[in-house]
Amino acid sequence: AAAYRDRVTTSQPRRGLVLILAALSMIGPFTVDTIFPAFPAIEADFATDPVAMQQTISVYLLTLGVMSLLHGPLSDAMGRKPVIVVGLALYAGASTICALAPSLPVLLLGRALQGVCAGAGMIIGRTMVRDLFHGESAQRIMAQISMIFAVAPAAAPIAGGWIVGFAHWRWIFWFLTGLSLVLVVITVTALPESHPEPLRTPLRVGALVQAVVSSARDRDVRRLVYVASFNFAALFTYIASAPAIVVTHLRLGAGDFGWLFVPIVTAMMCGSWLTGHLAGRFSSRTFLNVGFALSTLGAVSALLVEATSLPRLPYVLIGPMLTGLGISLVFPLVTLVLLEVRPAHRGTLSTLQAFASTLLNAVVSGALVPLVSGRLETISLAALGFSLVGWAWWRRHQHLHPSA
């Protein structure tokens, strides 16, 4: 395994690998955020309401989470590249269904099918980092990917706003179709296979199910999955509430989502850069505790802004920015710690992490956000709760494994 890894990493430019893996990871969040600016236009075309439109997010996240249980185990058995390529090709077909949808139910069907396929690149991309790198190199590479990955939440609604500004909302889905086909070509021609045949698990349903079940029963795995899921849910609360924050509370237009997303993404990129730049100088424990402290401080500061007479812009953005900064310090390292718990089943562990996080985000988008998005204070309270729960799970893991 070490010899194969060294041969692949020395024959491939590291920067190129980072860019490809980051692009594959971006397709999932890009699918979530791109349609936010189109919500009013879709509501008008299909004569529906904002609560129904919110289900275009929750349906996508639900199927993304359920199907993510398959992507990792399949890649452990078949190799990383075939699963990515097939997933992206099917995603292109699902995006085409969305572009041609004559009604909201058909659009929801297309979104559900997008979720079935979109997780392949995101889940397997993280796994490939640990296949090819280890130690400080893995931390740096994961941080670089996270830094590029952070662009997606800001770029997606901005791109969606531009498309809606000069074309019909359906062109958002034609854009996603073209993007996925470009990634298919890049994956086939430029991405190396990181999981050689001698290391693959048997391609049997029983073996795949057993790998998932045994990993899910591992208390260390579950604990770290909870840490990652609740950590990201704090930020996703702001992301899923973006239409309400930008349009309702800040009274901005469909092309103004950058007011919220650009500051968040800038903070996340800074955090990811720090994680990679300071790799080896501080312990992972320090990074994680500082990250959770910043996420908590972000939600508290957002509550303070609403409790004072400060103008909402730009001060309302401080909380989401600090939350994004803290999450970007936590997420890459928690992922690497998780993938080391059971090295023979890294794809399965990445799958479990994505499954739990995505299902939680689906609940946040479909059930929590409609309840809390009426006020900025309740949005921040929800984010604060997620940060504190994630931090508590990390403190528990740290107590049980002080040398981890």
Side-chain angles (χ1 to χ4, degrees):
Y4 181 84
R5 180 183 62 215
D6 293 341
R7 186 167 68 252
V8 171
T9 53
T10 54
S11 63
Q12 296 285 334
R14 179 174 294 193
R15 184 173 298 177
L17 282 174
V18 170
L19 290 174
I20 295 171
L21 294 175
L24 292 172
S25 298
M26 287 171 65
I27 196 72
F30 215 84
T31 309
V32 174
D33 298 353
T34 312
I35 68 168
F36 283 163
F39 271 19
I42 299 175
E43 288 174 22
D45 277 6
F46 292 151
T48 187
D49 55 64
V51 175
M53 281 305 304
Q54 196 69 35
Q55 304 315 309
T56 62
I57 306 300
S58 58
V59 165
Y60 164 77
L61 292 174
L62 181 63
T63 56
L64 178 68
V66 172
M67 289 306 297
S68 66
L69 285 174
L70 290 179
H71 297 312
L74 284 174
S75 74
D76 286 339
M78 301 174 61
R80 313 301 188 202
K81 283 184 64 171
V83 181
I84 294 175
V85 170
V86 172
L88 288 172
L90 293 175
Y91 175 89
S95 299
T96 301
I97 292 175
C98 293
L100 299 174
S103 62
L104 182 61
V106 177
L107 178 61
L108 292 175
L109 172 64
R111 292 290 286 176
L113 294 175
Q114 279 186 318
V116 169
C117 317
M122 178 175 61
I123 294 167
I124 299 171
R126 297 173 191 163
T127 308
M128 292 180 74
V129 173
R130 193 57 193 87
D131 287 342
L132 299 172
F133 304 97
H134 65 281
E136 294 177 16
S137 295
Q139 180 177 338
R140 290 192 179 95
I141 296 297
M142 188 70 79
Q144 291 168 8
I145 291 174
S146 297
M147 186 165 60
I148 301 172
F149 168 82
V151 175
I158 294 173
W162 287 345
I163 293 172
V164 171
F166 68 82
H168 197 272
W169 60 263
R170 296 180 187 276
W171 279 97
I172 290 177
F173 294 104
W174 288 123
F175 167 75
L176 293 175
T177 301
L179 177 63
S180 59
L181 292 177
V182 169
L183 288 176
V184 167
V185 175
I186 293 174
T187 301
V188 171
T189 58
L191 187 67
E193 175 58 66
S194 66
H195 194 53
E197 289 188 16
L199 299 180
R200 295 176 188 174
T201 57
L203 185 56
R204 298 194 303 268
V205 174
L208 297 179
V209 172
Q210 183 180 8
V212 173
V213 172
S214 63
S215 297
R217 287 177 175 174
D218 189 317
R219 292 184 179 180
D220 290 338
V221 170
R222 291 204 307 269
R223 199 178 304 114
L224 290 168
V225 164
Y226 297 154
V227 173
S229 300
F230 285 107
N231 170 63
F232 189 75
L235 179 62
F236 192 79
T237 302
Y238 289 111
I239 293 174
S241 302
I245 294 174
V246 174
V247 178
T248 304
H249 298 300
L250 299 183
R251 301 184 184 280
L252 301 174
D256 296 322
F257 278 78
W259 276 100
L260 175 65
F261 285 101
V262 170
I264 291 176
V265 167
T266 301
M268 292 181 69
M269 292 179 69
C270 290
S272 297
W273 180 83
L274 286 172
T275 303
H277 185 69
L278 299 178
R281 303 185 190 182
F282 298 95
S283 67
S284 299
R285 180 183 306 175
T286 300
F287 271 107
L288 289 163
N289 285 322
V290 170
F292 275 117
L294 287 172
S295 297
T296 302
L297 179 62
V300 171
S301 67
L303 291 171
L304 291 176
V305 167
E306 287 301 305
T308 63
S309 58
L310 288 172
R312 286 185 167 177
L313 281 177
Y315 298 101
V316 75
L317 304 175
I318 295 175
M321 285 181 66
L322 286 175
T323 300
L325 177 62
I327 284 168
S328 65
L329 293 176
V330 171
F331 190 79
L333 291 169
V334 168
T335 300
L336 290 174
V337 173
L338 172 63
L339 295 180
E340 282 303 298
V341 175
R342 298 167 73 96
H345 297 100
R346 288 184 183 130
T348 301
L349 297 182
S350 185
T351 276
L352 288 173
Q353 180 188 11
F355 171 74
S357 182
T358 306
L359 281 189
L360 179 58
N361 290 341
V363 173
V364 170
S365 175
L368 180 64
V369 167
L371 294 176
V372 303
S373 60
R375 296 177 60 85
L376 289 174
E377 296 95 321
T378 50
I379 295 173
S380 297
L381 278 173
L384 176 62
F386 286 129
S387 292
L388 291 175
V389 172
W391 199 358
W393 278 110
W394 167 246
R395 297 290 294 179
R396 174 65 175 167
H397 185 79
Q398 183 179 321
H399 174 73
L400 295 173
H401 300 278
S403 62

